[in-house]
Amino acid sequence: MPWVGNDDDLRSVTSGAGGISKGMNKATSSLTTRRPVLKSLRELAEAARARVAIDAPVSGGQAGAENGVLIVMCGGDEAVFKRARPVIDAYARMVDLTEPAGSGQLTKMVNQICIASALQGLAEAMHFGARRSLHRGFQAHSPLPGP
């Protein structure tokens, strides 16, 4: 399971001299949890000559990792995913699969867009309230429950 930070590292670890793809076969799975570029993930799956690569970015931060409750967004072949699932379950509370390899990264992007838009909305609401001199205690409890 490569935990690398960029595309060059992913290529080196997987398909470089002595990379893991040289020893991979249909019974081998590779999980990638960091943020490499989608093209690199698809290259990894092709380089292995079998659909054995699963990209598996996570959400949940350090606390989620420490407590084994990460959300894992997997992209890849279903048969490979089923073999990798017991490993993923050891550190995840929620797992989802989309196909093909690289789709986990796209799902993570959707997740990040949702989080960013929620934070932007909160910031806009707090700014709006502050500009209209609303009491900060009131703002902190908004949105208020309905009737």
Side-chain angles (χ1 to χ4, degrees), residues 11 18 109 114:
R11 281 188 197 97
M109 288 178 194
C114 290

Side-chain angles (χ1 to χ4, degrees), residues 1-2 24 28-33 41 44-45 51-57 72-85 88 91 95-105:
M1 178 183 325
M24 293 174 79
T28 306
S29 299
S30 172
L31 298 172
T32 303
T33 58
L41 293 165
L44 168 61
R51 301 187 65 194
V52 296
I54 298 286
D55 64 299
V72 185
M73 297 151 271
C74 299
D77 182 72
E78 186 172 4
V80 177
F81 172 73
K82 285 180 180 179
R83 288 196 311 268
R85 181 73 189 255
I88 298 168
Y91 60 86
V95 181
D96 186 35
L97 172 68
T98 56
E99 296 183 62
S103 297
Q105 295 296 323

Side-chain angles (χ1 to χ4, degrees), residues 5-18:
N6 63 53
D7 288 355
D8 291 337
D9 290 345
L10 178 64
R11 281 188 197 97
S12 175
V13 167
T14 57
S15 52

Side-chain angles (χ1 to χ4, degrees), residues 117-132:
S117 62
L119 289 173
Q120 179 65 34
L122 178 61
E124 292 288 340
M126 297 301 287
H127 177 73
F128 178 86
R131 297 284 294 178
R132 273 113 193 122

Side-chain angles (χ1 to χ4, degrees), residues 3 38 46 53 65 134:
W3 289 65
L38 187 59
E46 288 178 28
L134 293 178

Side-chain angles (χ1 to χ4, degrees), residues 143-147:
L144 296 175

